[in-house]
């Protein structure tokens, strides 16, 4: 087996060669080991090699537990983009939010990293059969890579996994075993089956290839962050000191068992050891409220999480009731580094975040990934994440078929083609049918703001879910003219503007009986004095703070004022 790394036991410290199918420490029997590399040498040699390599997980091959990566097994794993969330950042008043878009992996979730490394290691070791238990995405990822590698795969899935995901697993030629019970029970059944038949079992967070696959996320986002913002500034006294890469301030990810963040934190730790970065980011580990054993334990300052027997969430992907030692390790590492937090959000908050990201950033994700974004919103609004901080949120997986309750009513309009008219005059028939799609007289809204980005954001929010006729004015004087001319049903008004400010606009409109009754929502970045608040009183319906309202809140206000 490969000599470029060794396995170190987390319990007795024993160091020795690693064999993929002997899963225990030879000295004490612990299943918890970590891979160690020659980081003293790699710290200097690897940065010289990286620029010449493709942007995928194998660019870090000296730091992965595979001797010689086989390009023929690859599906293009890793190298996913880091996307600046401009609109979300504007709404939250937090301009440096970046999305690590793991939807763009070969099977549309971050589990591809774990599967690619594990299957490569199994293939190298001549292993031809594998058992996995999963809440869906692990099985999909392993099935795809196993198919390429000619490895037979057995997938134990809880019956809660959506049928569409189950069928995808089967499509790859995997034998699906549906277990009626919880995810933790499915894991037990899988373990028993694997032991009986002496087949390799994927043991998730205790498996070196899994953790090593996940850690590549840390390396990638660090390289990407540095490309965007440059290396950290050098000290003028000693410009030879300093690190070549910039780490983010926060790293957020939704968790079930917690293997993802455990791997990512190992990546950051290695980079810190190699002096590539000067600190490890704070970790935001987000669970869904109906299954949040880690969050309970964290709040009670406990080292061991109490398992949840029956998870209560619609988000099956995140239904690990017993995180086992993963929680304990994650907590230890977070406390030793820069800290962070375990936080939970409701199913409802996750669905809303998922819908928001699709409408406002063009990113459609599965509810399990929405959990991380709901956590982001919660932490920013609670002041835990500060406005200037650089935040990376892992968008862990792509949309599964959208449940009806997420969209609400009226998301589609039907076009019925009149058969007779179509025969006589196809074009007129088509126009007649289409005229019904947009016959309503839409409510008219004036958006008044001198900042073009803010106007664009508000326009986007209004158009994302509803139909309005929109007008824009870029200063107070234009606004007064516009309102007199177009007579909107509602005005969304900024306060600080050149020429005539928002207060001036309100005065002018109040003094004219024709415009005095039009409802006004003030959206402002200004900290108002009590005198100013008094001035607004009675003249506006709603006051919203820029950088501190979400699209749904604005939409709800607009709808209620329009009646
Ligand atoms: C597996 C999964 C998670 C949870 O990851 P863990 O690291 O196993 O806790 C989150 N989101 C998606 C999309 C997943 O597939
Ligand atoms: Zn040991």
């Amino acid at each position: 087996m490969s000599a470029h790394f060794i396995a170190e036991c987390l319990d007795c410290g024993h160091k020795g060669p690693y064999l993929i199918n002997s899963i225990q420490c030879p000295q004490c029997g612990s299943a918890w080991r970590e891979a160690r590399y020659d980081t003293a040498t790699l710290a200097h040699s690897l940065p010289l090699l990286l620029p010449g390599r493709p942007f995928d997980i194998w660019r870090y091959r000296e730091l992965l537990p595979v001797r010689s990566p086989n390009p023929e097994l690859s599906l293009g794993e890793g190298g996913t983009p880091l996307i600046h969330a401009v609109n979300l950042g504007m709404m939250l008043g937090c301009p440096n939010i970046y999305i690590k878009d793991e939807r763009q992996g070969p099977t549309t979730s971050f589990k591809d990293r774990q599967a690619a490394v594990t299957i490569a290691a199994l293939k190298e070791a001549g292993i031809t059969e594998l058992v996995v238990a999963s809440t869906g995405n692990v099985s999909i990822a392993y099935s795809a890579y196993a198919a390429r590698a000619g490895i037979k795969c057995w997938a134990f899935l809880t019956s809660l996994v959506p049928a569409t995901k189950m069928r995808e697993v089967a499509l790859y030629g995997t034998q699906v075993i549906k277990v009626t019970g919880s995810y933790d029970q499915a894991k037990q059944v899988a373990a028993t089956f694997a032991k009986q038949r002496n087949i390799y079992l994927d043991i998730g967070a205790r498996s070196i290839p899994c953790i090593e696959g996940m850690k590549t996320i840390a390396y990638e986002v660090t390289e990407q962050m540095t490309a965007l913002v440059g290396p950290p500034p050098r000290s003028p006294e000693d410009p030879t000191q300093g690190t070549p890469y910039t780490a983010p301030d926060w790293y957020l990810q939704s968790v079930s068992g917690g293997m993802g963040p455990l791997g990512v934190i190992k990546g950051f730790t290695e980079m810190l050891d190699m002096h590539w970065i000067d600190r490890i980011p704070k970790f935001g580990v987000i669970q869904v409220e109906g299954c949040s054993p880690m969050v309970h334990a964290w709040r009670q300052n406990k080292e061991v999480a109490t398992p949840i027997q029956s998870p209560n969430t619609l988000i099956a992907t995140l239904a690990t009731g017993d995180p086992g030692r993963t929680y304990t390790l994650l907590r230890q590492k977070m406390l030793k580094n820069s800290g962070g937090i375990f936080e939970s959000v409701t199913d409802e908050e996750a669905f809303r975040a998922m819908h928001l990201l699709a409408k406002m950033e063009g990113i459609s994700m599965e509810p399990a990934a929405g959990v991380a974004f709901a956590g982001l919103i919660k932490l920013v609004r609670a002041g835990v994440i500060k406005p200037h901080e650089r935040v990376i949120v892992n968008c862990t997986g792509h949309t599964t078929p959208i449940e009806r309750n997420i969209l609400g009513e009226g998301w589609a309009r039907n076009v019925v083609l009149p058969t007779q008219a179509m025969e006589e005059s196809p074009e007129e028939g088509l126009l007649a049918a289409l005229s019904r799609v947009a016959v309503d007289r839409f409510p008219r809204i004036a958006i008044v703001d001198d900042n073009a980005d803010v106007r664009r954001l508000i326009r986007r929010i209004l158009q994302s879910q509803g139909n309005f006729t929109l007008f824009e004015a870029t200063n107070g004087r234009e606004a007064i003219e516009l309102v007199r001319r177009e007579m909107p049903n509602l005005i969304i008004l900024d306060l600080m503007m050149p020429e005539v400010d928002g207060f001036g606009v309100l005065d002018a409109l109040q003094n004219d009986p024709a415009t005095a009754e039009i409802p006004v929502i003030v959206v402002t970045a200004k900290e108002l004095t009590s005198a100013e608040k008094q001035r607004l009183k009675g003249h506006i319906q709603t006051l919203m703070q820029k950088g501190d309202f979400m699209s749904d809140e604005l939409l709800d206000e607009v709808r209620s004022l329009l009646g």
Side-chain angles (χ1 to χ4, degrees):
M1 190 67 201
S2 160
H4 73 285
F5 78 103
I6 53 161
E8 181 179 337
C9 174
L10 295 187
D11 289 300
C12 74
H14 176 268
K15 291 187 181 136
Y18 171 75
L19 293 169
I20 193 163
N21 45 6
S22 75
I23 57 168
Q24 290 178 336
C25 165
Q27 190 164 285
C28 76
S30 167
W32 291 88
R33 292 177 299 164
E34 277 189 358
R36 301 279 176 251
Y37 303 83
D38 179 11
T39 42
T41 306
L42 290 171
H44 306 285
S45 58
L46 202 50
L48 303 175
L49 294 170
L50 289 179
R53 293 184 172 175
F55 195 52
D56 61 28
I57 66 172
W58 304 110
R59 70 194 268 102
Y60 313 109
R61 66 182 79 115
E62 288 83 357
L63 289 164
L64 291 174
V66 176
R67 197 174 18 196
S68 49
N70 179 352
E72 299 198 342
L73 299 181
S74 173
L75 286 163
E77 48 280 359
T80 57
L82 190 69
I83 297 169
H84 190 189
V86 180
N87 290 332
L88 184 65
M90 270 174 86
M91 283 191 287
L92 286 171
C94 201
N96 301 311
I97 297 170
Y98 298 91
I99 300 173
K100 181 61 171 165
D101 192 4
E102 289 291 288
R103 301 174 313 158
Q104 299 198 38
T107 74
T108 74
S109 90
F110 76 107
K111 300 299 193 323
D112 287 323
R113 295 176 189 268
Q114 156 190 6
V117 175
T118 302
I119 295 289
L122 289 177
K123 185 82 181 166
E124 224 171 52
I127 291 169
T128 55
E129 223 171 317
L130 140 101
V131 172
V132 290
S134 98
T135 56
N137 292 342
V138 164
S139 297
I140 291 174
Y142 275 94
S143 297
Y145 284 93
R148 280 185 86 71
I151 289 176
K152 159 125 183 125
C153 186
W154 304 80
F156 289 71
L157 298 166
T158 121
S159 42
L160 302 170
V161 172
T164 46
K165 282 194 181 181
M166 276 198 203
R167 286 198 292 270
E168 185 175 352
V169 175
L171 183 67
Y172 289 117
T174 288
Q175 177 60 58
V176 173
I177 293 127
K178 215 196 271 191
V179 180
T180 308
S182 71
Y183 173 43
D184 295 315
Q185 287 167 326
K187 274 202 282 201
Q188 279 166 10
V189 181
T192 310
F193 175 85
K195 197 164 175 203
Q196 244 176 22
R197 302 212 169 192
N198 198 22
I199 305 177
Y200 178 84
L201 171 72
D202 183 77
I203 47 173
R206 286 166 295 161
S207 148
I208 282 184
C210 290
I211 291 291
E212 297 302 291
M214 291 307 180
K215 87 178 180 193
T216 56
I217 296 173
Y219 283 92
E220 286 185 13
V221 296
T222 301
E223 282 201 77
Q224 288 172 308
M225 186 100 261
T226 306
L228 285 170
V229 305
R234 304 258 153 166
S235 133
E237 285 97 64
D238 186 359
T240 60
Q241 293 299 304
T243 59
Y245 295 104
T246 298
D249 296 305
W250 280 92
Y251 177 84
L252 267 60
Q253 185 164 334
S254 58
V255 302
S256 186
M259 172 183 13
L262 195 61
V264 176
I265 221 165
K266 180 170 191 273
F268 281 117
T269 308
E270 283 176 359
M271 281 186 279
L272 185 72
D273 291 345
M274 295 193 287
H275 302 287
W276 287 14
I277 53 175
D278 57 10
R279 79 208 128 84
I280 291 173
K282 288 171 272 193
F283 269 56
V285 182
I286 319 295
Q287 292 203 290
V288 71
E289 204 162 278
C291 185
S292 51
M294 302 196 203
V295 180
H296 291 299
W298 173 261
R299 289 189 184 144
Q300 292 164 15
N301 202 19
K302 289 205 301 205
E303 273 180 52
V304 179
T306 309
I308 305 250
Q309 297 306 334
S310 23
N312 181 18
T313 171
L314 293 172
I315 305 176
T317 306
L318 299 186
T320 300
D322 183 3
R325 192 166 171 185
T326 306
Y327 163 74
T328 307
L329 290 172
L330 252 180
R331 176 177 176 274
Q332 266 169 12
K333 290 178 191 237
M334 280 162 57
L335 291 176
K336 184 166 160 245
N337 303 324
S338 319
I341 191 168
F342 290 78
E343 185 56 274
S344 61
V345 299
T346 62
D347 284 14
E348 186 56 41
E349 287 169 324
F351 292 151
R352 233 182 292 139
M354 164 190 177
H355 198 182
L356 176 79
L357 266 290
K359 285 187 298 187
M360 300 308 297
E361 299 289 2
I363 295 180
S364 169
M365 63 190 72
E366 71 165 275
V371 165
F373 289 88
L376 167 77
I377 294 167
K378 196 163 175 179
L379 293 176
V380 170
R381 300 193 114 183
V384 176
I385 294 177
K386 304 282 183 290
H388 64 272
E389 292 187 303
R390 294 191 183 113
V391 186
I392 288 180
V393 186
N394 189 330
C395 182
T396 45
H398 203 285
T399 337
T400 46
I402 304 296
E403 289 157 53
R404 292 174 63 151
N405 60 354
I406 296 174
L407 279 179
E409 298 296 313
W411 52 272
R413 294 187 170 216
N414 294 324
V415 174
V416 182
L417 297 178
T419 29
Q420 205 195 336
M422 288 298 286
E423 274 162 27
E424 285 161 13
S425 159
E427 200 174 331
E428 270 173 42
L430 207 56
L431 286 177
L434 279 175
S435 71
R436 259 163 255 137
V437 173
V439 284
D440 322 351
R441 226 181 91 79
F442 300 132
R444 300 153 69 80
I445 301 179
I447 303 169
V448 185
D449 202 305
D450 57 329
N451 182 327
D453 288 335
V454 175
R455 292 198 305 275
R456 182 182 54 76
L457 181 72
I458 294 175
R459 175 175 276 274
R460 176 65 205 143
I461 290 172
L462 295 174
Q463 287 175 333
S464 66
Q465 227 185 344
N467 289 297
F468 304 100
T469 301
L470 301 177
F471 306 94
E472 292 184 16
T474 63
N475 61 51
R477 191 183 40 72
E478 262 184 36
I480 298 166
E481 284 167 18
L482 171 78
V483 171
R484 292 196 173 133
R485 187 175 67 242
E486 302 292 351
M487 282 297 162
N489 306 97
L490 176 75
I491 302 166
I492 298 178
L493 180 66
D494 182 22
L495 286 182
M496 288 187 297
M497 291 181 293
E499 302 202 37
V500 181
D501 69 7
F503 293 105
V505 173
L506 284 170
D507 287 341
L509 299 181
Q510 291 292 313
N511 292 334
D512 180 348
T515 56
E517 300 299 319
I518 302 175
V520 178
I521 296 176
V522 164
V523 175
T524 181
K526 193 171 160 52
E527 286 287 340
L528 295 181
T529 64
S530 52
E532 284 169 331
K533 281 192 186 141
Q534 206 53 39
R535 250 185 103 184
L536 290 176
K537 218 171 170 187
H539 300 297
I540 67 161
Q541 278 62 37
T542 311
L543 179 65
M544 299 186 111
Q545 207 65 38
K546 271 182 198 165
D548 189 30
F549 68 87
M550 299 311 289
S551 53
D552 287 356
E553 292 159 0
L554 181 64
L555 266 177
D556 288 348
E557 279 304 316
V558 166
R559 291 210 184 97
S560 80
L561 290 175
L562 290 172

